[in-house]
Amino acid sequence: MWYVVKTGPGLTRRTGFNLGPNLKRLNAIRLGSSVAATGAVRDTARPKPPWERPSRRGRGDACPAAGVSLDFEHTREAYKSKDSLELLRSLVVFKLCSYDILVDKNKEIMDLGKKVMGQRAFEQLMKMTFYGQFVAGEDHRAIRPLLQKNQAFGVGSVLDYSVEEDLSPGEDQEDVLRPYVSTEGKTNTGADHRQGKHGMNTQCGERRGESCGAPTYFYADEAKCDRNVETFLECIRASGGGALEGFSAIKMTALARPQFLLRLSEVLVKWRRFFSFLAAQQGYGNREALEQNLELKQLQEFLSRLGAEGDVHSWFTDTMQSSSGTIDRLDWDILIDSRADTSHLLVVPDVGKGELVPLLDRFTAEEERQMKRILQRMDVLAKHAEENGVRLMVDAEQTYLQPAISYLTLAMQRVYSGQKPLILNTYQCYLKEAFTSLSVDLERSRRQGWCLGAKVVRGAYMHQERERAALLGYEDPVHPDYQATNLMYHRCLDLLLEEISLSRKANVMVASHNEDTVRHTLRRMNELGLAPAEGKVSFGQLLGMCDQISFPLGQAGFPVYKYVPYGPVNEVMPYLSRRAQENRGFMKGAEWERELLLKELKRRLGSGEIFHRPVF
């Protein structure tokens, strides 16, 4: 069924995304006319560890891309946007971050610093060191000079209001999570009613400061979500108006009740695993996801033996492949959106319960309202971004939330990414299923006629994912080593670059601090004839890191962006603490960047340019 979403006076968009019978009210609602929404996101590309540091190229060994010659070791060009004090600060901060004890005990050290120095002096020290290195400022006004300076040197910004919240001391985490806490240790077949992976577990430290590390927004109430949106609308406004198109980062757990994201993820995963199970029954289990086709006649017979009712053919009458008697993964996913019509038909035996249970659960009225509110908030942000010439970047999160996050992001991409992707989804390549997820989404965009926007990262939740898998007894979703992750990253990247070269119907942000990955991208762009000016391929690094990559790219005309956190010093410190943990491998292996910084300081000293001031 087609839904019409009003986007302005006299303007409508026709979307092919069926939100289910209980959400037909969206047809008549101008999304965002009276609803405020939220959004916050952080992400980073997992850097290369010290033992696999990129090979050092000679100064004259340039990296060609689309006719452009780049040298990532030309320190004068790489650092001409920095004064000498900024270079010295970078040198000191990178050196301090190379010590394990400072990274491991950073929270305790900061707490002690506050007690000894007092809050004001401690904040000033942070501004002179870590905060000043990695954070742009306290609010959208304070960050403007840095944004303008970077833009003058060809580097854009991905803005992220990086204040992180946790449950207050008076809140009981178990009360917040109880409806979806899973204490089951293992997952079983694709037809299981509940997957242990997709339930929160209080033993796993899903709260900042505990063992699993990376944070998730914890839902307080709907009003909180609506208040948050004002902050992110402000972030979008701050991102707009520049010569380079800006980005604003969005975290879906700031827009939605995490329990609902867990519930939706559980339904999606269970349904897709059942498709894989059925494909295996028909002898297609070893094929790639998009090569697994189900014969409808065999499917009807198999489901009937399980106790399912109804005519399977009638469920797929509008799909492209059903006329030939087969369906694929994308055809199968259509039933997710019509679950209210088919949930009473698609039932299978549950051995444990000794009864028939539905494969597709009906969502409650409240869950349908949750879905509507999330999409309304996203619509508010998307419209505002469109009006301000800004794009939204939806961050990837933990695997037990990600199916729902991607599902909702793709729904909005379909509405807003006709010829150009207003919204980018994030793909974490340390996950074993990264290529499958990306290839399925890319094929979905081809069939439905919209432009896929993808940010490709290595990943940010590795330790948490592994600890959780071990605790709950399911397969570790993360690649065993960096080499496998790197191969997956380049495989996903090559798929997107080839799609861009063939159809120009995709965009990719290469979010990486790895020089070899950047060189690989430039080389492939040259081979495929992708010019920087097209803007189909962009690059991203964190503020305060890898300037020797970012600024040469920007000055050579490539779209390149710094991920720019901002927020009050005391409230951003949890973000910095987490970043220190996530990037410990990169910081320990940053000897080459420190050598380049020292080389430039020595050059300036010898040439009388020690008091260099950036001119822009």
Side-chain angles (χ1 to χ4, degrees), residues 284-308:
Y284 302 125
N286 294 325
R287 296 188 181 185
E288 295 288 343
L290 289 173
E291 296 175 354
Q292 295 178 343
N293 293 323
L294 298 182
E295 300 285 342
L296 287 180
K297 183 177 179 180
Q298 293 184 43
L299 177 61
Q300 177 77 67
E301 293 172 354
F302 183 80
L303 290 178
S304 296
R305 288 199 303 271
L306 288 179

Side-chain angles (χ1 to χ4, degrees), residues 1 3-4 18-29 341:
M1 179 176 293
Y3 282 83
V4 177
N18 187 340
L19 299 177
N22 290 332
L23 290 181
K24 291 182 180 178
R25 294 184 302 276
L26 287 178
N27 283 343
I29 295 176
D341 295 329

Side-chain angles (χ1 to χ4, degrees), residues 126-417:
M126 290 296 101
K127 287 182 178 180
M128 294 169 59
T129 54
F130 299 95
Y131 179 94
Q133 180 70 18
F134 300 117
V135 184
E138 298 202 58
D139 55 40
H140 67 282
R141 288 178 292 273
I143 67 176
R144 181 56 58 182
L146 183 140
L147 302 187
Q148 291 173 343
K149 181 178 78 168
N150 284 355
Q151 194 166 94
F153 289 94
V155 177
S157 299
V158 180
L159 290 192
D160 172 32
Y161 187 70
S162 295
V163 173
E164 296 187 349
E165 297 182 18
D166 209 342
L167 295 176
S168 68
E171 290 178 303
D172 183 347
Q173 183 190 20
E174 292 192 10
D175 286 344
V176 175
L177 301 180
R178 184 169 291 116
Y180 291 91
V181 168
S182 171
T183 57
E184 295 180 16
K186 299 184 178 181
T187 60
N188 298 308
T189 69
D192 279 352
H193 182 65
R194 176 164 294 277
Q195 304 291 338
K197 177 178 179 179
H198 292 278
M200 282 208 175
N201 188 289
T202 55
Q203 300 177 62
C204 194
E206 281 138 355
R207 181 172 180 175
R208 191 162 42 259
E210 299 183 14
S211 62
C212 286
T216 297
Y217 280 78
F218 281 92
Y219 176 85
D221 53 38
E222 290 298 303
K224 176 60 177 174
C225 288
D226 290 340
R227 287 195 301 271
N228 284 344
V229 74
E230 297 302 328
T231 298
F232 295 102
L233 290 175
E234 191 173 85
C235 184
I236 290 170
R237 288 190 287 270
S239 301
L244 288 173
E245 187 174 48
F247 283 91
S248 184
I250 302 298
K251 203 174 187 76
M252 196 68 77
T253 48
L255 294 172
R257 186 180 179 91
Q259 291 95 323
F260 172 75
L261 296 178
L262 284 165
R263 166 83 162 129
L264 178 56
S265 291
E266 180 188 38
V267 169
L268 292 168
V269 168
K270 183 172 62 176
W271 187 237
R272 290 165 184 171
R273 284 182 178 173
F274 190 65
F275 176 84
S276 297
F277 170 74
L278 293 172
Q281 295 298 308
Q282 296 192 14
Y284 302 125
N286 294 325
R287 296 188 181 185
E288 295 288 343
L290 289 173
E291 296 175 354
Q292 295 178 343
N293 293 323
L294 298 182
E295 300 285 342
L296 287 180
K297 183 177 179 180
Q298 293 184 43
L299 177 61
Q300 177 77 67
E301 293 172 354
F302 183 80
L303 290 178
S304 296
R305 288 199 303 271
L306 288 179
E309 303 173 2
D311 179 16
V312 171
H313 288 263
S314 66
W315 302 338
F316 302 99
T317 52
D318 295 327
T319 67
M320 295 180 63
Q321 293 194 55
S322 62
S323 59
S324 63
T326 64
I327 60 167
D328 66 7
R329 159 77 178 271
L330 295 179
D331 299 323
W332 182 256
D333 282 351
I334 290 173
L335 292 187
I336 288 288
D337 299 316
S338 58
R339 63 189 173 275
D341 295 329
T342 58
S343 61
H344 68 290
L345 301 177
L346 293 174
V347 293
V348 296
D350 184 308
V351 177
K353 294 183 178 180
E355 60 185 23
L356 295 177
V357 296
L359 281 171
L360 276 177
D361 301 333
R362 289 178 182 268
F363 277 4
T364 66
E366 176 55 30
E367 286 169 334
E368 296 289 5
R369 283 192 291 270
Q370 288 280 333
M371 174 83 84
K372 177 184 173 183
R373 283 192 286 261
I374 296 166
L375 291 168
Q376 286 176 325
R377 291 173 184 135
M378 280 294 292
D379 193 72
V380 169
L381 295 176
K383 284 181 187 173
H384 205 69
E386 196 172 45
E387 292 166 0
N388 284 269
V390 174
R391 285 191 279 175
L392 302 180
M393 187 175 291
V394 179
D395 191 17
E397 302 189 47
Q398 294 90 338
T399 53
Y400 50 87
L401 297 171
Q402 190 57 41
I405 292 170
S406 291
Y407 180 81
L408 295 166
T409 302
L410 291 170
M412 296 308 297
Q413 282 187 321
R414 185 166 184 169
V415 175
Y416 282 98
S417 297

